[in-house]
Amino acid sequence: MRKLLLLTCAFLVAMTSFGQAKKPTIMIVPSDVWCNQNGYMMTFDNMGTIQKIPDYKKALQTDANLLLVISTINNLMADRGFPLKNLESTLKSIEQRAAEDNMTTSKSGAELAESPLDRLKRIAKADIILQLTWTVNTTGPKKSITFNLQGLDAYTDKQIAGATGTGAPSFSTEIPVLLEEAILSHLDNFNARLQNHFDDLLTNGREVRIDIRVFDDGSGIDLETEFNGYELAEIIDEWMAENTVSGRYNKTDGSHNFIYFEQVRVPLFRPNGAAMDTEFFVRELSRHLRTKYNINSKVMTRGLGNAVLVIGEK
């Protein structure tokens, strides 16, 4: 009897822990392919390079089916306990902050190096981006949908889950209905892969990239400058070893003027429980250098998964 009671208690604890497990935050967007096929693309100048990116605002305002499709997927995911970010609401937030961001420069005149898509990811604060592509097939009076759903880590753009398939032919002409029928049998396995990836982030940290650079401002400080008998590059390397998850990071290249860190595993949450991002993590390094060594530096972001620390000035 006592053994049965202990097993029952253990089961209840396990079920409670499972129910309280943290879920990744997710945002659904139409894929680049779908936007290009339907004429929803725009160009922007990324530091002299012209790039094409999806025009989500135009797509949402023009294509009624897109809103219905996103709403359908949102409902399916919400039924499975995954928190969702709304694309339309996020775009409105971007517009409200655009004027302020456009006026943001460093004291030396450097502008924020961030694409519109990077800005979308940063403001949405989603862990995973779901990219959806679909096409409608017609066979006589029946229609079916072929879909491709990709789960991408918002920080690295690596695909961590995928589902593709074609629904059974139906007399229905409503795209959201056809899509729901096509995707439903794949969704639980797809969500399991998303959760496994998020569980890995909880255990091993989020993967980001950090670049260390030096301003040519005449101060004479570079990464070989010594403080208390240690070069600045060594001081930064020691801080990275102490503050990354299990000391996991990779120094891929470096000189007296730069260091490139890749596969940097940063904690998913700050000590106060708030979400950790690359910018906050690098600001902690900047604060360490300022308070302990009186070294000024500037932090710049390049999307969610890449931050640059520039030694020498604000």
Side-chain angles (χ1 to χ4, degrees), residues 97-117:
R97 297 172 61 170
E100 178 183 345
D101 285 350
N102 289 338
M103 296 299 293
T104 301
T105 62
S106 70
K107 292 179 181 177
S108 62
E111 296 182 356
L112 292 172
E114 191 173 38
S115 76
L117 185 55

Side-chain angles (χ1 to χ4, degrees), residues 81-97:
F82 286 85
L84 298 158
K85 298 285 185 177
N86 184 272
L87 175 60
E88 189 174 21
S89 299
T90 302
L91 291 175
K92 291 178 181 178
S93 297
I94 290 175
E95 289 183 346
Q96 292 172 358
R97 297 172 61 170

Side-chain angles (χ1 to χ4, degrees), residues 4-304:
L4 177 60
L5 181 61
L6 290 174
L7 288 173
T8 302
C9 291
F11 175 77
L12 290 174
V13 169
M15 290 301 293
T16 301
S17 299
F18 178 80
Q20 294 175 345
K22 292 182 180 293
K23 296 287 188 179
T25 53
I26 298 169
M27 184 171 66
I28 302 169
V29 301
S31 71
D32 291 13
V33 171
W34 185 90
C35 289
N36 190 52
Q37 289 176 341
N38 291 275
Y40 303 127
M41 299 293 285
M42 61 181 176
T43 59
F44 81 103
D45 188 341
N46 183 15
M47 302 178 70
T49 301
I50 303 301
Q51 296 184 355
K52 291 180 66 176
I53 65 166
D55 189 343
Y56 297 129
K57 180 180 178 180
K58 181 180 179 182
L60 289 168
Q61 291 179 341
T62 306
D63 196 314
N65 278 323
L66 176 60
L67 282 173
L68 293 172
V69 163
I70 290 177
S71 179
T72 297
I73 303 297
N74 280 348
N75 290 334
L76 291 173
M77 297 294 288
D79 289 344
R80 287 153 178 79
F82 286 85
L84 298 158
K85 298 285 185 177
N86 184 272
L87 175 60
E88 189 174 21
S89 299
T90 302
L91 291 175
K92 291 178 181 178
S93 297
I94 290 175
E95 289 183 346
Q96 292 172 358
R97 297 172 61 170
E100 178 183 345
D101 285 350
N102 289 338
M103 296 299 293
T104 301
T105 62
S106 70
K107 292 179 181 177
S108 62
E111 296 182 356
L112 292 172
E114 191 173 38
S115 76
L117 185 55
D118 285 336
R119 189 171 298 162
L120 172 67
K121 292 178 180 178
R122 175 170 57 83
I123 293 177
K125 294 292 185 182
D127 298 301
I128 296 170
I129 301 295
L130 297 189
Q131 280 198 155
L132 178 64
T133 308
W134 74 90
T135 55
V136 179
N137 313 306
T138 301
T139 306
K142 294 185 177 182
K143 294 182 182 294
S144 65
I145 273 191
T146 299
F147 76 93
N148 182 17
L149 186 62
Q150 296 172 293
L152 307 175
D153 185 302
Y155 282 68
T156 64
D157 288 328
K158 292 180 179 179
Q159 180 169 327
I160 45 91
T164 60
T166 300
S170 170
F171 287 107
S172 174
T173 59
E174 297 180 3
I175 291 178
V177 174
L178 293 171
L179 182 63
E180 182 174 356
E181 292 173 351
I183 201 174
L184 202 54
S185 62
H186 301 269
L187 201 55
D188 287 335
N189 287 335
F190 180 81
N191 286 347
R193 294 189 185 99
L194 298 184
Q195 186 64 51
N196 288 340
H197 174 72
F198 189 68
D199 290 343
D200 175 71
L201 299 185
L202 287 170
T203 303
N204 300 311
R206 192 189 298 282
E207 183 180 329
V208 303
R209 195 181 82 197
I210 297 171
D211 300 338
I212 311 294
R213 306 298 295 269
V214 176
F215 270 124
D216 185 15
D217 60 355
S219 65
I221 295 178
D222 61 26
L223 295 169
E224 293 180 346
T225 303
E226 292 192 5
F227 297 85
N228 301 327
Y230 294 92
E231 292 186 358
L232 181 54
E234 294 178 285
I235 293 170
I236 293 173
D237 194 64
E238 181 67 20
W239 188 91
M240 293 285 288
E242 292 178 354
N243 289 275
T244 50
V245 177
S246 301
R248 295 177 63 180
Y249 64 98
N250 184 24
K251 182 179 178 180
T252 57
D253 201 1
S255 73
H256 67 288
N257 283 326
F258 72 91
I259 303 174
Y260 294 151
F261 292 111
E262 295 182 335
Q263 297 176 322
V264 179
R265 290 286 190 153
V266 304
L268 206 61
F269 299 99
R270 307 178 195 175
N272 65 0
M276 173 80 79
D277 58 18
T278 320
E279 180 182 8
F280 182 87
F281 183 79
V282 176
R283 286 197 183 281
E284 288 294 289
L285 172 57
S286 176
R287 186 175 294 108
H288 173 73
L289 296 178
R290 183 176 66 254
T291 56
K292 192 166 184 177
Y293 300 98
N294 198 30
I295 299 173
N296 286 324
S297 58
K298 180 175 183 62
V299 178
M300 297 184 292
T301 58
R302 293 175 177 171
L304 281 177

